[in-house]
Amino acid sequence: QLQLVESGGGSVQPGGSLRLSCATSGYDFSCLGWFRQAPGKEQGVASITRVGRTSYADSVKGRFTISLDNAKNTLYLQMNNLQTEDTAMYYCAARKSGLCYDWTIPASEYRGQGTPVTVSS
């Protein structure tokens, strides 16, 4: 059964860190990534291919790191120096083929249930 299950969201103060995880099963996706949704806004955050090529939205470059543990079929998003504008519901997403860039992730055909991230003082 094809599944994407996120975990790791929470509440932090500005400048804090969180690590999101996404356990995948049922298929060896060629492209995985994260996107986020805030009221009225959806944004691809980061993507990674099975061979490790990554892509990031400009707003998170230098602060977020995407990684993939192929042995565990688990995707990660390390988020450092979080800011209030990072507050959103974060979704893990995956696609079997096609372009793999941060901006293509929201259109991926498979996604998890989401995990909330709140950054506030």
Side-chain angles (χ1 to χ4, degrees):
Q1 183 178 359
L2 199 152
Q3 281 190 316
L4 303 171
V5 181
E6 302 102 332
S7 60
S11 297
V12 295
Q13 293 185 338
S17 297
L18 284 172
R19 188 176 82 154
L20 306 183
S21 299
C22 174
T24 74
S25 60
Y27 192 83
D28 287 336
F29 298 102
S30 65
C31 173
L32 298 103
W34 297 91
F35 72 96
R36 61 190 181 186
Q37 288 184 340
K41 182 179 178 181
E42 182 177 83
Q43 181 189 29
V45 174
S47 66
I48 188 168
T49 67
R50 281 285 172 182
V51 296
R53 181 177 61 80
T54 60
S55 173
Y56 295 94
D58 287 344
S59 59
V60 307
K61 282 180 182 176
R63 300 188 298 123
F64 291 10
T65 302
I66 190 170
S67 60
L68 176 62
D69 186 329
N70 283 307
K72 296 181 179 179
N73 287 321
T74 300
L75 179 71
Y76 301 98
L77 186 68
Q78 178 66 44
M79 304 185 294
N80 297 329
N81 191 21
L82 282 159
Q83 304 299 314
T84 55
E85 55 265 33
D86 295 316
T87 295
M89 185 70 79
Y90 283 71
Y91 295 87
C92 168
R95 57 199 316 162
K96 294 182 178 179
S97 62
L99 294 176
C100 189
Y101 295 95
D102 57 281
W103 49 271
T104 66
I105 291 300
S108 299
E109 58 266 43
Y110 303 102
R111 58 177 62 181
Q113 80 286 355
T115 186
V117 172
T118 302
V119 185
S120 69
S121 55

